[in-house]
Amino acid sequence: MQKFRSASSPITYYISGNEHKEWILFLHAAFVDHRMFQAQTAYFQNKYNVLAVDLLGHGQSTDTRKGDSIDKMSLWIYDIMKTHQIEKIHIVGVSLGAVLAQDFANRFPDAVSSLACFGGYDINHFDVKMQKENGASQILMMLKALVSVKWFAEANKKISAYTPQAQDAFYHMNLQFPKKSFQYLASLNSMVNKYETRPRNYPLLIGCGKFDIPMELAAVEMWKNTEPQCNVEIFENAGHCVNMDVPQKFNEAIEAFIENSSDIDIRTPFRL
């Protein structure tokens, strides 16, 4: 992938190809970087133009300025799209990436070809009790990181992935996450329950791994109840970062969803 640095933001991003008709954007989980989508880039780059970013404070996107915060990611991504004359894009987000994918769709719905969110929750209708539980677990993890990055990464890999190879890959990326970057995540709550979900003019796919934490499985079920027309995929033998645990199954599910996205009635769920 070719590496770029945004002229208008601290974001470093990567592009593979520009000769295809359609684009896919991959948004990674917290504490890692765009490399968590290596298997997806290799799989999709021969059919689609692939755009992957290092989110603020992650990977190579650490040369920040005063006032930078994670809630600006949607605007920065939209600027990147304008720079490369990308009018519409398929968006795939995992965990934190799923939150940011939804925020982008809330702000720029006409720029979305399809939306796929895994290991996330409906940011427009996030249950207050669940939000508090999620916040408490995040604080505990942050305290571990302040004590020891290795301790934090060791605990985090068991939450974030299910298979040994995915846990190992997550762990080594997590070790490179700077402690100072926690500050950029403070504005995450500003994106939650901010918008009402408008009728979507693009298909939606949500899901997680069967071995994700119970709260995540409940969040997917609640989201499905709110938007019954969406498509749901629960991956066997996978935890939170499903794309790392079962990359081939994940790739095939995303490919089928995208290929059918232009052919289906968005009011009727597409069954994978």
Side-chain angles (χ1 to χ4, degrees), residues 13-15 23-26 49-53 80 86 89:
Y13 61 98
Y14 307 81
I15 288 178
W23 286 80
I24 303 179
L25 166 65
F26 290 106
N49 306 316
V50 176
L51 169 62
V53 304
I80 291 170
I86 305 170
I89 198 162

Side-chain angles (χ1 to χ4, degrees), residues 4 6-8 13 77-86:
F4 295 87
S6 172
S8 58
Y13 61 98
I77 290 170
Y78 191 65
D79 284 342
I80 291 170
M81 289 177 62
K82 288 192 293 184
T83 297
H84 294 275
Q85 299 180 326
I86 305 170

Side-chain angles (χ1 to χ4, degrees), residues 144-207:
K144 287 183 178 181
L146 294 177
V147 174
S148 167
V149 172
K150 286 188 176 181
W151 183 30
F152 168 60
E154 185 66 31
N156 204 19
K157 76 175 186 180
K158 297 174 183 177
I159 298 172
S160 301
Y162 178 69
T163 62
Q165 64 269 23
Q167 288 185 356
D168 185 64
F170 194 98
Y171 173 79
H172 285 95
M173 281 188 280
N174 197 163
L175 286 178
Q176 299 173 41
F177 180 76
K179 289 183 181 180
K180 69 173 185 178
S181 290
F182 275 104
Q183 64 183 306
Y184 305 124
L185 301 177
S187 62
L188 266 176
N189 284 339
S190 69
M191 293 180 267
V192 176
N193 296 330
K194 180 178 180 179
Y195 296 94
E196 280 295 324
T197 303
R198 293 172 288 185
R200 300 185 190 273
N201 57 359
Y202 51 84
L204 170 66
L205 171 63
I206 64 175

Side-chain angles (χ1 to χ4, degrees), residues 93-95 98 116-121 159-160 162 205-221 223 231-243 245-246 250 253 272:
V94 174
S95 193
C117 297
F118 301 92
Y121 51 84
I159 298 172
S160 301
Y162 178 69
L205 171 63
I206 64 175
C208 65
K210 183 178 179 180
F211 294 101
D212 206 334
I213 60 174
M215 184 171 65
E216 174 56 34
L217 289 161
V220 171
E221 184 177 356
W223 194 348
N231 310 293
V232 180
E233 178 79 2
I234 305 299
F235 290 88
E236 298 287 338
N237 302 313
H240 193 61
C241 295
V242 292
N243 69 297
D245 278 325
V246 287
F250 181 86
L272 293 170

Side-chain angles (χ1 to χ4, degrees), residues 69-81:
S69 56
I70 199 76
D71 61 313
K72 296 181 180 178
M73 276 301 311
S74 292
L75 296 174
W76 292 336
I77 290 170
Y78 191 65
D79 284 342
I80 291 170
M81 289 177 62

